[in-house]
Amino acid sequence: MKITEKSFWEQYWGEILLPQKVNFSFKNDRVIAETILKFVPKVDNDQKALEIGCAPGKWLTLVYENLNYDIDGFEYVDVAAEKTKENFKLCHIPENRFNVITADFLTQSPDPKYDLVMSFGFIEHFENYDDIYQKHIQYCKKNGYVVTGFPNFRGINYYLQLFIDRISGSSIIKNHNIKMMDKVLMEKMIKSSKKELVYLDYIGGFEPALFNINKVENIFLRFILKVSSKALSIIFSNIKNKYISSYLIFVVKND
């Protein structure tokens, strides 16, 4: 069952600016990209990657440019799909190397299967996250890889985002399955699927960019939040645990 309504994504992706690529000077992008490039092998021609919930396409662009995959993406919101196609063109990816499918991947038959299946900020929008993970596996070829990452709104991040939601009218906490953002829970889920766990950990330390502080209209509160989050990022920049880190990511091999 989806937690986040389609209208939320229509508004969100309608406001995105292009082009979008992984920014290695931005810590959150960098640590996610480094994890992908470390644990997912570079391939020869004619091997394909799929990203579920692919807009705006920066992670597919990364694996195209660095790992040589042809790239496909699923988006169930029209504006998000169009933004992704536009982004690929702006990133000079040939049209015969990418495809964006406008559909709900949960209703689709997992064919063709892929050498790499990814999602970032997707699985945590469902109550039945374990079923969503299994669907990722179904799209993946034998000996292929599944990479799944999502923000960590537990610990200090939960209370900070809950406060921002209350004073700004945003609904980030409401739109995420907070309970599943847990390394131990993910390890149990992967173990039960009998797939090879390649990597699983919290990454990134405390990350101010996890929070949209600019949504806070009160100037004084916005200033306090920016100063506080900057201080926390200095103190906890490299702390990796469930109470501090901005992100949780795992890599599974479909052996």
Side-chain angles (χ1 to χ4, degrees):
M1 178 180 176
K2 294 185 181 74
I3 296 173
T4 311
E5 296 295 330
K6 189 174 184 179
S7 57
F8 173 89
W9 294 117
E10 289 172 339
Q11 179 180 356
Y12 180 86
W13 293 118
E15 298 173 352
I16 202 78
L17 299 176
L18 302 177
Q20 290 278 330
K21 296 181 74 172
V22 171
N23 180 0
F24 281 86
S25 65
F26 171 40
K27 185 182 69 174
N28 202 51
D29 271 17
R30 184 178 70 253
V31 295
I32 297 170
E34 287 173 349
T35 303
I36 298 169
L37 297 179
K38 181 177 181 179
F39 293 105
V40 176
K42 189 173 184 177
V43 298
D44 297 325
N45 292 331
D46 301 324
Q47 290 181 271
K48 300 185 73 173
L50 172 71
E51 184 179 2
I52 301 160
C54 63
K58 67 180 181 180
W59 301 112
L60 284 172
T61 300
L62 176 82
V63 300
Y64 165 78
E65 292 181 340
N66 292 271
L67 301 177
N68 199 38
Y69 285 93
D70 289 341
I71 51 177
D72 285 5
F74 267 118
E75 266 301 340
Y76 86 122
V77 177
D78 289 338
V79 64
E82 292 306 313
K83 287 277 189 175
T84 304
K85 293 175 187 176
E86 183 182 352
N87 193 48
F88 289 154
K89 292 175 183 178
L90 290 172
C91 292
H92 307 293
I93 300 176
E95 291 193 26
N96 66 337
R97 297 291 303 273
F98 74 82
N99 183 38
V100 180
I101 305 158
T102 308
D104 184 343
F105 101 107
L106 293 173
T107 67
Q108 305 300 302
S109 174
D111 184 52
K113 293 193 173 183
Y114 292 84
D115 304 280
L116 171 63
V117 178
M118 309 185 297
S119 71
F120 305 96
F122 181 82
I123 193 172
E124 79 281 8
H125 292 284
F126 295 84
E127 293 179 351
N128 58 329
Y129 60 87
D130 48 347
D131 293 334
I132 305 302
Y133 163 70
Q134 288 293 341
K135 194 75 171 181
H136 284 58
I137 296 293
Q138 291 172 20
Y139 276 88
C140 187
K141 287 182 179 179
K142 184 176 177 58
N143 294 319
Y145 290 81
V146 172
V147 181
T148 301
F150 46 86
N152 175 38
F153 283 116
R154 302 190 77 170
I156 193 172
N157 298 327
Y158 173 82
Y159 293 103
L160 183 52
Q161 184 58 60
L162 186 64
F163 178 69
I164 293 171
D165 283 352
R166 287 176 176 174
I167 65 176
S168 70
S170 58
S171 55
I172 298 299
I173 294 299
K174 179 183 176 182
N175 285 316
H176 289 80
N177 183 344
I178 307 300
K179 292 181 181 179
M180 58 81 63
M181 298 175 180
D182 182 83
K183 179 180 176 180
V184 173
L185 196 61
M186 292 298 98
E187 188 171 14
K188 288 180 179 178
M189 179 186 75
I190 294 164
K191 186 177 180 179
S192 69
S193 72
K194 299 181 180 179
K195 304 301 178 183
E196 178 186 345
L197 176 56
V198 178
Y199 180 81
L200 166 64
D201 209 351
Y202 298 98
I203 59 174
F206 182 83
E207 177 55 71
L210 184 64
F211 313 96
N212 193 350
I213 295 173
N214 290 326
K215 290 285 187 181
V216 178
E217 294 183 359
N218 185 293
I219 296 174
F220 175 74
L221 288 177
R222 186 165 67 240
F223 173 76
I224 294 298
L225 285 166
K226 286 185 176 182
V227 171
S228 300
S229 61
K230 181 64 176 178
L232 288 169
S233 70
I234 293 171
I235 298 169
F236 298 119
S237 177
N238 297 311
I239 303 296
K240 297 198 306 180
N241 63 45
K242 64 181 179 181
Y243 304 108
I244 299 294
S245 291
S246 63
Y247 214 75
L248 180 60
I249 190 169
F250 61 81
V251 182
V252 171
K253 187 174 182 182
N254 188 23
D255 56 3

